[in-house]
C-alpha cells in the first residue's frame, strides 16, 4: 500500500500573509483586538488592515486603531477608507491625517450605506465609485492602495464582465493590488484569476481567507458566495460546540490554503474577526513560524 504524505508536510513556509481587523466598540473588545495583534505580529505580516464601518460609522475608531498600531508596533497598517457619506474635501482631510500619522497604505472601497435595504448613493460633493476614490487618493499622496475584488461577482454588478471592468478601472486609477472577498473553494479563486489574467490585469490578487467562527453568520454574509455542500455537512451539529467547530474551521481553511498554494499562491489575506487562534493555526500549517518581532 502506498500512502500519501501528510497534508502539510511539504510546505516550505515561503508565504506572505496579511491580517484584517475591525475597530473595537468597547474596552473589552479593545483588549481582544490587541491580544490578537500581539499574537499575530510575530508572524511578520506584510500589512494589517483596519476596516471602516458601513456609512463611515467607525471613522474615528478606525483612525484611533490605526494610529495606535503606528505608535506602538512595527507593523505596517492599512486603513480602510470609503466614499460613503463623505465629500471629496472630507476624504482629503482624512487622507492628510493618515499621511501625517505615518500611514502609507490605504484600502480604498466604495463602501456600503448604513441601512441594509439601501443602495449606494454618492455624496453630492463626493466620489461616485471606488475607482474615483483611488484616483483622488493617488493624486493627494503617494499611497500604496489596495482595492476589493469579487471572485463570485459583486452582488450589485450587472454581470461578471462589468465587475471585471470595474476592477480594471480601480487598478488603472492607481491601486497596486486587489484583495478578494472571502470564498470557500479554490476553484472559485482560480476561475476568477484566469479571467483577470485574460483581461490583461497583472496586479497581485490576494485571496481573502475567512476561517469559520460562526457558520450561521457565514450563511448570512454569503449572499454572492457559494457554500459547498460538503462544507455544510462538515459543520453540521457544531453550532453549539465552539471548541470542535474551531478545530474543524482551522483544518478546512488550511486545506483550502494548501490547495491554493499548490496552484501557485504565496500571498494570503486573513479576515480575523479580531481573533488570532484560527488565523495563527492556518499560518502554522502553511509553514510560517514566529520571527523575533514585538507587537
Amino acid at each position: 500500500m502506498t500512502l500519501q504524505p501528510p497534508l502539510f508536510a511539504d510546505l516550505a513556509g515561503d508565504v506572505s500573509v496579511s491580517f484584517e481587523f475591525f475597530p473595537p466598540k468597547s474596552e473589552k473588545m479593545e483588549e481582544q483586538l490587541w491580544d490578537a495583534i500581539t499574537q499575530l505580529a510575530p508572524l511578520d505580516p506584510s500589512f494589517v488592515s483596519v476596516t471602516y464601518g458601513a456609512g463611515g460609522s467607525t471613522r474615528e475608531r478606525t483612525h484611533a486603531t490605526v494610529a495606535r498600531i503606528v505608535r506602538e508596533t512595527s507593523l505596517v497598517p492599512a486603513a480602510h477608507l470609503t466614499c460613503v457619506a463623505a465629500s471629496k474635501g472630507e476624504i482629503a482631510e482624512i487622507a492628510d491625517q493618515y499621511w501625517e500619522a505615518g500611514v502609507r497604505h490605504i484600502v480604498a472601497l466604495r463602501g456600503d450605506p448604513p441601512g441594509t435595504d439601501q443602495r449606494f448613493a454618492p455624496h453630492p460633493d463626493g466620489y461616485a465609485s471606488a475607482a474615483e476614490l483611488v484616483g483622488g487618493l493617488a493624486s493627494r499622496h503617494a499611497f500604496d492602495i489596495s482595492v476589493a475584488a469579487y471572485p463570485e461577482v459583486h452582488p450589485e454588478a450587472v454581470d461578471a464582465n462589468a465587475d471585471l471592468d470595474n476592477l480594471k478601472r480601480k487598478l488603472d486609477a492607481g491601486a497596486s493590488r486587489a484583495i478578494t472577498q472571502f470564498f470557500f473553494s479554490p476553484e472559485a479563486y482560480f476561475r476568477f484569476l484566469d479571467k483577470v489574467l485574460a483581461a490583461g490585469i497583472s496586479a497581485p490578487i490576494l485571496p481573502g481567507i475567512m476561517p469559520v467562527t460562526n457558520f450561521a453568520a457565514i450563511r448570512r454574509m454569503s449572499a454572492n458566495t457559494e457554500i459547498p455542500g460538503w462544507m455544510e455537512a462538515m459543520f453540521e451539529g457544531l453550532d453549539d460546540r465552539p471548541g470542535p467547530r474551531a478545530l474543524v474551521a482551522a483544518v478546512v481553511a488550511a486545506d483550502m490554503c494548501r490547495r491554493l498554494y499548490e496552484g501557485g499562491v504565496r500571498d494570503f489575506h486573513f479576515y480575523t474577526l479580531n481573533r488570532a487562534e484560527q488565523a495563527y493555526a492556518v499560518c502554522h500549517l502553511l509553514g510560517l513560524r514566529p520571527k523575533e518581532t514585538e507587537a
Side-chain angles (χ1 to χ4, degrees):
M1 178 184 295
T2 302
L3 299 177
Q4 294 294 321
L7 286 178
F8 301 98
D10 57 348
L11 297 188
D14 57 340
V15 301
S16 176
V17 298
S18 52
F19 303 111
E20 179 182 287
F21 303 102
F22 62 84
K25 297 179 181 179
S26 65
E27 185 175 332
K28 182 177 180 180
M29 293 176 70
E30 177 105 3
E31 292 175 2
Q32 178 180 308
L33 166 64
W34 285 94
D35 178 67
I37 290 174
T38 300
Q39 290 189 55
L40 293 170
L43 296 179
D44 194 25
S46 55
F47 65 90
V48 295
S49 66
V50 182
T51 64
Y52 204 69
S57 57
T58 67
R59 181 179 301 171
E60 295 302 322
R61 287 187 278 118
T62 298
H63 190 280
T65 300
V66 170
R68 185 176 173 186
I69 290 173
V70 171
R71 287 195 314 270
E72 300 182 16
T73 81
S74 59
L75 299 171
V76 176
H80 286 218
L81 189 55
T82 75
C83 306
V84 179
S87 68
K88 293 179 181 178
E90 288 172 318
I91 288 174
E93 183 179 346
I94 294 168
D96 290 348
Q97 290 173 353
Y98 278 131
W99 188 265
E100 291 166 8
V103 177
R104 297 294 182 264
H105 189 167
I106 298 289
V107 180
L109 308 164
R110 187 204 70 180
D112 297 318
T116 55
D117 296 328
Q118 298 182 39
R119 292 183 67 86
F120 172 80
H123 187 284
D125 299 316
Y127 295 109
S129 67
E132 288 188 9
L133 174 61
V134 170
L137 291 170
S139 66
R140 191 81 183 176
H141 296 289
F143 285 116
D144 180 13
I145 302 173
S146 296
V147 294
Y150 299 86
E152 294 166 279
V153 185
H154 191 283
E156 296 179 25
V158 174
D159 55 32
N161 288 332
D163 200 31
L164 195 60
D165 287 343
N166 187 48
L167 173 60
K168 194 171 190 306
R169 282 193 294 272
K170 292 187 286 189
L171 293 166
D172 289 345
S176 54
R177 76 185 58 74
I179 303 169
T180 76
Q181 184 188 40
F182 63 83
F183 54 90
F184 296 115
S185 70
E187 293 82 5
Y189 174 82
F190 286 125
R191 284 195 298 267
F192 177 66
L193 195 61
D194 286 344
K195 294 176 182 177
V196 165
L197 294 173
I201 296 172
S202 59
I205 309 293
L206 277 60
I209 309 300
M210 174 80 84
V212 177
T213 55
N214 181 315
F215 198 71
I218 288 295
R219 284 196 194 95
R220 291 194 299 270
M221 296 165 63
S222 299
N224 63 319
T225 303
E226 181 184 359
I227 300 177
W230 66 262
M231 190 172 170
E232 291 266 5
M234 188 73 71
F235 285 94
E236 185 178 357
L238 296 180
D239 287 347
D240 298 321
R241 303 180 71 88
R245 185 177 68 236
L247 294 172
V248 170
V251 172
V252 168
D255 181 62
M256 186 173 72
C257 289
R258 177 184 63 85
R259 291 190 284 162
L260 291 170
Y261 182 94
E262 288 177 351
V265 176
R266 294 296 183 271
D267 294 285
F268 298 87
H269 184 74
F270 290 92
Y271 298 111
T272 69
L273 300 179
N274 289 8
R275 297 182 181 276
E277 291 81 2
Q278 290 186 348
Y280 192 101
V282 175
C283 291
H284 186 89
L285 289 170
L286 291 174
L288 281 185
R289 297 296 181 266
K291 297 186 179 180
E292 295 300 322
T293 61
E294 295 183 2

